[in-house]
Coordinates of all heavy atoms in Angstrom, one line a residue:
V137 N 6.5 -13.2 4.1 CA 7.5 -14.0 4.9 C 6.8 -15.3 5.2 O 5.6 -15.4 5.6 CB 7.8 -13.2 6.1 CG1 8.8 -14.1 6.9 CG2 8.5 -12.0 5.7
S138 N 7.5 -16.4 4.9 CA 7.0 -17.7 5.3 C 8.1 -18.4 6.3 O 9.2 -18.2 6.1 CB 7.1 -18.7 4.0 OG 6.1 -18.2 2.9
I139 N 7.3 -19.0 7.2 CA 8.3 -19.6 8.3 C 7.9 -21.1 8.4 O 6.7 -21.5 8.6 CB 8.0 -18.9 9.7 CG1 8.3 -17.4 9.5 CG2 8.7 -19.6 10.8 CD1 7.9 -16.6 10.7
I140 N 8.9 -22.0 8.5 CA 8.7 -23.4 8.8 C 9.3 -23.8 10.2 O 10.6 -23.4 10.4 CB 9.4 -24.3 7.7 CG1 8.9 -23.8 6.3 CG2 9.2 -25.7 8.0 CD1 7.5 -24.1 6.1
L141 N 8.5 -24.3 11.0 CA 8.9 -24.6 12.4 C 9.0 -26.1 12.5 O 8.0 -26.9 12.3 CB 8.0 -24.0 13.6 CG 8.1 -24.6 14.9 CD1 9.5 -24.3 15.5 CD2 7.0 -24.1 15.8
G142 N 10.3 -26.6 12.7 CA 10.4 -28.0 12.8 C 11.0 -28.4 14.2 O 10.8 -27.6 15.2
D143 N 11.4 -29.6 14.3 CA 11.8 -30.0 15.8 C 13.0 -29.2 16.3 O 12.9 -28.8 17.5 CB 12.3 -31.5 15.6 CG 10.9 -32.4 15.3 OD1 10.2 -32.2 16.1 OD2 11.2 -33.3 14.6
N144 N 14.1 -29.0 15.6 CA 15.2 -28.2 16.0 C 15.6 -27.2 15.0 O 16.8 -26.9 15.0 CB 16.2 -29.1 16.5 CG 16.9 -29.8 15.2 OD1 16.2 -30.2 14.2 ND2 18.2 -30.0 15.1
Y145 N 14.6 -26.8 14.2 CA 15.1 -25.8 13.1 C 14.0 -25.0 12.8 O 12.7 -25.2 13.0 CB 15.6 -26.6 11.9 CG 14.5 -27.4 11.1 CD1 13.7 -26.7 10.2 CD2 14.3 -28.7 11.5 CE1 12.6 -27.5 9.5 CE2 13.4 -29.4 10.8 CZ 12.6 -28.8 9.9 OH 11.5 -29.6 9.2
V146 N 14.3 -23.8 12.1 CA 13.4 -22.8 11.6 C 13.9 -22.4 10.2 O 15.0 -22.1 10.0 CB 13.2 -21.6 12.5 CG1 12.4 -20.6 11.7 CG2 12.5 -22.0 13.8
L147 N 13.0 -22.6 9.2 CA 13.2 -22.1 7.9 C 12.6 -20.8 7.8 O 11.4 -20.7 8.0 CB 12.9 -23.1 6.8 CG 13.4 -24.5 7.0 CD1 12.9 -25.4 5.8 CD2 14.9 -24.6 7.1
S148 N 13.0 -19.7 7.2 CA 12.4 -18.5 6.8 C 12.5 -18.1 5.4 O 13.8 -18.2 4.9 CB 12.7 -17.4 7.6 OG 14.0 -17.2 7.6
F149 N 11.5 -17.7 4.7 CA 11.7 -17.4 3.3 C 11.1 -15.9 3.0 O 10.1 -15.6 3.4 CB 10.9 -18.2 2.4 CG 11.3 -19.8 2.5 CD1 10.7 -20.5 3.5 CD2 12.1 -20.4 1.7 CE1 11.1 -21.9 3.7 CE2 12.5 -21.7 1.8 CZ 12.0 -22.4 2.9
Q150 N 12.1 -15.1 2.5 CA 11.8 -13.6 2.2 C 11.9 -13.3 0.7 O 12.6 -14.1 0.1 CB 12.5 -12.7 3.0 CG 12.4 -13.2 4.7 CD 13.3 -12.0 5.4 OE1 13.1 -10.9 5.2 NE2 14.1 -12.5 6.2
E151 N 11.3 -12.4 0.3 CA 11.4 -11.8 -1.1 C 12.7 -11.2 -1.5 O 13.2 -11.3 -2.6 CB 10.3 -11.0 -1.5 CG 8.8 -11.6 -1.3 CD 7.7 -10.6 -1.7 OE1 7.9 -10.0 -2.7 OE2 6.7 -10.4 -1.0
R152 N 13.3 -10.6 -0.5 CA 14.6 -9.9 -0.8 C 15.4 -9.8 0.6 O 14.9 -10.0 1.5 CB 14.2 -8.5 -1.4 CG 13.5 -7.7 -0.5 CD 13.1 -6.4 -1.1 NE 12.0 -5.6 -0.3 CZ 11.4 -4.5 -0.8 NH1 11.8 -4.1 -1.9 NH2 10.6 -3.9 0.1
E153 N 16.6 -9.3 0.3 CA 17.4 -9.0 1.5 C 17.0 -7.7 2.1 O 16.4 -6.7 1.5 CB 19.0 -8.8 1.1 CG 19.5 -10.2 0.6 CD 21.1 -10.0 0.5 OE1 21.8 -9.8 1.3 OE2 21.5 -9.8 -0.8
G154 N 17.3 -7.6 3.4 CA 16.9 -6.4 4.2 C 15.6 -6.7 4.9 O 14.6 -6.9 4.3
D155 N 15.6 -6.8 6.2 CA 14.4 -7.1 7.0 C 14.5 -6.4 8.3 O 15.3 -5.5 8.5 CB 14.2 -8.6 7.0 CG 15.4 -9.2 7.6 OD1 16.2 -8.6 8.5 OD2 15.6 -10.4 7.4
V156 N 13.6 -6.8 9.2 CA 13.4 -6.1 10.5 C 14.0 -7.1 11.5 O 13.8 -6.9 12.8 CB 11.9 -5.8 10.8 CG1 11.4 -4.7 9.8 CG2 11.1 -7.0 10.8
L157 N 14.6 -8.1 11.2 CA 15.1 -9.2 12.2 C 16.7 -9.1 12.6 O 17.1 -10.0 13.2 CB 14.9 -10.5 11.4 CG 13.6 -10.8 11.1 CD1 13.4 -12.2 10.3 CD2 12.6 -10.8 12.2
D158 N 17.3 -8.0 12.1 CA 18.7 -7.7 12.6 C 18.8 -7.8 14.1 O 19.9 -8.2 14.7 CB 19.3 -6.6 12.0 CG 19.6 -6.7 10.5 OD1 19.8 -8.0 10.1 OD2 19.7 -5.7 9.8
P159 N 17.9 -7.0 14.8 CA 18.0 -7.1 16.4 C 17.9 -8.5 16.8 O 18.6 -8.8 17.9 CB 16.9 -6.4 16.8 CG 16.5 -5.3 15.7 CD 16.8 -6.2 14.5
L160 N 17.1 -9.4 16.3 CA 17.1 -10.8 16.7 C 18.4 -11.4 16.6 O 18.9 -12.3 17.3 CB 16.0 -11.5 16.0 CG 15.8 -13.0 16.2 CD1 15.6 -13.3 17.7 CD2 14.6 -13.6 15.4
R161 N 18.9 -11.3 15.3 CA 20.3 -11.9 14.9 C 21.2 -11.5 16.0 O 22.2 -12.2 16.4 CB 20.6 -11.6 13.6 CG 19.7 -12.1 12.5 CD 20.2 -11.9 11.1 NE 19.3 -12.4 10.0 CZ 18.4 -11.7 9.4 NH1 18.3 -10.5 9.7 NH2 17.5 -12.4 8.6
G162 N 21.2 -10.2 16.2 CA 22.2 -9.6 17.3 C 22.0 -10.3 18.7 O 23.1 -10.6 19.3
R163 N 20.8 -10.6 19.0 CA 20.6 -11.2 20.3 C 21.1 -12.7 20.3 O 21.8 -13.1 21.3 CB 19.2 -11.3 20.7 CG 18.5 -9.9 21.1 CD 17.3 -10.0 21.8 NE 16.1 -10.8 21.3 CZ 15.3 -10.2 20.4 NH1 15.4 -9.0 20.0 NH2 14.3 -11.0 19.8
I164 N 21.0 -13.3 19.1 CA 21.5 -14.6 19.0 C 23.0 -14.7 19.1 O 23.6 -15.5 19.7 CB 21.0 -15.3 17.6 CG1 19.5 -15.4 17.7 CG2 21.8 -16.7 17.5 CD1 19.0 -16.0 16.4
R165 N 23.7 -13.8 18.4 CA 25.2 -13.7 18.4 C 25.7 -13.3 19.7 O 26.7 -13.9 20.1 CB 25.6 -12.6 17.3 CG 25.3 -12.9 16.0 CD 25.9 -11.8 15.0 NE 25.5 -12.2 13.7 CZ 24.6 -11.3 13.0 NH1 24.1 -10.4 13.5 NH2 24.3 -11.7 11.7
S166 N 25.0 -12.5 20.5 CA 25.6 -12.0 21.8 C 25.0 -12.8 22.9 O 25.3 -12.6 24.1 CB 25.2 -10.5 22.0 OG 23.7 -10.4 22.0
S167 N 24.2 -13.8 22.7 CA 23.6 -14.6 23.7 C 22.8 -13.9 24.8 O 22.8 -14.2 25.9 CB 24.6 -15.5 24.4 OG 24.1 -16.6 25.1
K168 N 22.1 -12.8 24.2 CA 21.3 -12.0 25.1 C 19.9 -12.5 24.9 O 19.5 -12.8 23.8 CB 21.4 -10.6 24.8 CG 22.7 -10.0 25.2 CD 22.7 -8.5 24.8 CE 24.1 -7.8 25.1 NZ 24.1 -6.5 24.9
G169 N 19.1 -12.5 26.0 CA 17.8 -12.7 25.9 C 17.5 -14.3 26.1 O 18.4 -15.1 26.6
R170 N 16.5 -14.8 25.6 CA 16.1 -16.3 25.9 C 16.4 -17.2 24.6 O 16.3 -18.4 24.7 CB 14.6 -16.4 26.1 CG 14.2 -15.6 27.4 CD 12.6 -15.9 27.6 NE 12.2 -15.2 28.8 CZ 11.9 -14.0 28.8 NH1 11.8 -13.2 27.7 NH2 11.4 -13.4 29.9
V171 N 16.7 -16.5 23.5 CA 16.7 -17.3 22.3 C 17.7 -18.5 22.3 O 17.4 -19.6 22.0 CB 17.1 -16.3 21.1 CG1 17.0 -17.1 19.7 CG2 16.2 -15.2 21.2

Side-chain angles (χ1 to χ4, degrees):
V137 177
S138 300
I139 300 171
I140 305 293
L141 167 60
D143 289 312
N144 68 324
Y145 66 88
V146 170
L147 310 180
S148 59
F149 301 86
Q150 304 182 51
E151 296 181 46
R152 59 185 170 185
E153 288 190 75
D155 54 30
V156 299
L157 302 177
D158 283 339
L160 172 59
R161 296 185 180 97
R163 293 200 303 273
I164 295 175
R165 294 186 183 106
S166 61
S167 192
K168 292 182 179 179
R170 302 179 178 88
V171 184

